[in-house]
Amino acid sequence: MSDPQHQPVPKLRPLPAFIFMSRWLQLPLYLGLILAQCVYVFHFWVELKDLIGAALGNEAALAHIFQAIAVPGSEVPTKLNETTIMLVVLGLIDVVMISNLLIMVIIGGYETFVSRMHLDTHPDQPEWLSHVNASVLKTKLAMAIVGISSIHLLKTFINAASYDAKVLIAQTAIHAVFLLSALAIAYTDRITTGTQNESQSH
């Protein structure tokens, strides 16, 4: 019996081949996201440098830190304390989580919608990439957005005294919507996967 992996690939007709090649139009989009990743890396190091400089007593770094975490309409901090450091670190974590989201979109999207990357034997292949598809990618992205929203909500709660009650309620409601949406996507994916497995078993 011949190995299906070594069977010749049938040649597509010109029109289907042209339509299928249109997937490469997404390549500039993923390259653009890589540039956006570079911007986030630069922003991370700038914020980290200012945090270290502020801890060492650099006045310019302190001023930049206070300006970055200040809530519009509230009193600007005057010294570096635990709350100020926590807010800056949460901002750094926020950058890291958005960067993780970009990596998932770039690698998972390219693998799913453009071309295989053949990373099966690579020692650094991400665990989630081995079983990625459009549905799994959508669920992971939804959960990443929930994580990012959680960081923003935590930063708001730390500065709760500087916000109006309506703002706190609105941000909490928006986070709840993100969470329910992620759960709905995951549940829909589970139903779809179960239906596919049942149809294949028959």
Side-chain angles (χ1 to χ4, degrees):
M1 183 179 292
S2 61
D3 188 352
Q5 293 183 349
H6 294 86
Q7 290 181 357
V9 179
K11 187 175 181 180
L12 294 176
R13 290 175 297 166
L15 182 57
F18 175 75
I19 294 174
F20 186 55
M21 284 176 57
S22 67
R23 72 192 190 279
W24 288 101
L25 291 173
Q26 294 191 45
L27 180 60
L29 305 181
Y30 293 118
L31 295 178
L33 288 179
I34 293 175
L35 295 178
Q37 180 90 306
C38 294
V39 173
Y40 266 105
V41 171
F42 177 77
H43 176 72
F44 179 91
W45 284 108
V46 168
E47 294 295 323
L48 182 61
K49 176 181 69 67
D50 284 338
L51 177 60
I52 295 173
L56 296 176
N58 185 288
E59 292 296 332
L62 275 170
H64 181 269
I65 289 293
F66 294 152
Q67 183 180 9
I69 66 170
V71 178
S74 65
E75 185 178 353
V76 178
T78 57
K79 62 179 181 178
L80 192 67
N81 52 31
E82 182 181 357
T83 302
T84 303
I85 295 173
M86 186 185 304
L87 288 170
V88 176
V89 171
L90 285 175
L92 295 177
I93 294 173
D94 189 30
V95 172
V96 171
M97 294 188 71
I98 294 176
S99 182
N100 291 341
L101 178 63
L102 282 170
I103 287 295
M104 281 194 288
V105 172
I106 294 168
I107 298 179
Y110 183 90
E111 174 86 8
T112 303
F113 300 109
V114 180
S115 180
R116 296 292 181 188
M117 302 179 72
H118 303 292
L119 298 176
D120 296 336
T121 58
H122 197 285
D124 294 329
Q125 180 195 14
E127 182 274 333
W128 54 268
L129 191 61
S130 60
H131 52 270
V132 71
N133 54 45
S135 183
V136 171
L137 184 62
K138 183 168 55 178
T139 302
K140 290 186 176 296
L141 293 180
M143 295 308 299
I145 292 173
V146 170
I148 294 169
S149 175
S150 300
I151 295 297
H152 281 268
L153 190 60
L154 180 57
K155 290 169 68 176
T156 300
F157 284 162
I158 292 174
N159 279 323
S162 303
Y163 287 96
D164 185 74
K166 293 181 180 179
V167 175
L168 296 175
I169 294 173
Q171 289 199 12
T172 304
I174 292 171
H175 177 71
V177 170
F178 283 151
L179 180 59
L180 292 175
S181 298
L183 291 174
I185 291 172
Y187 183 68
T188 303
D189 178 54
R190 181 178 179 182
I191 294 176
T192 304
T193 304
T195 303
Q196 289 177 348
N197 293 336
E198 289 180 3
S199 62
Q200 290 175 358
S201 63
H202 295 296

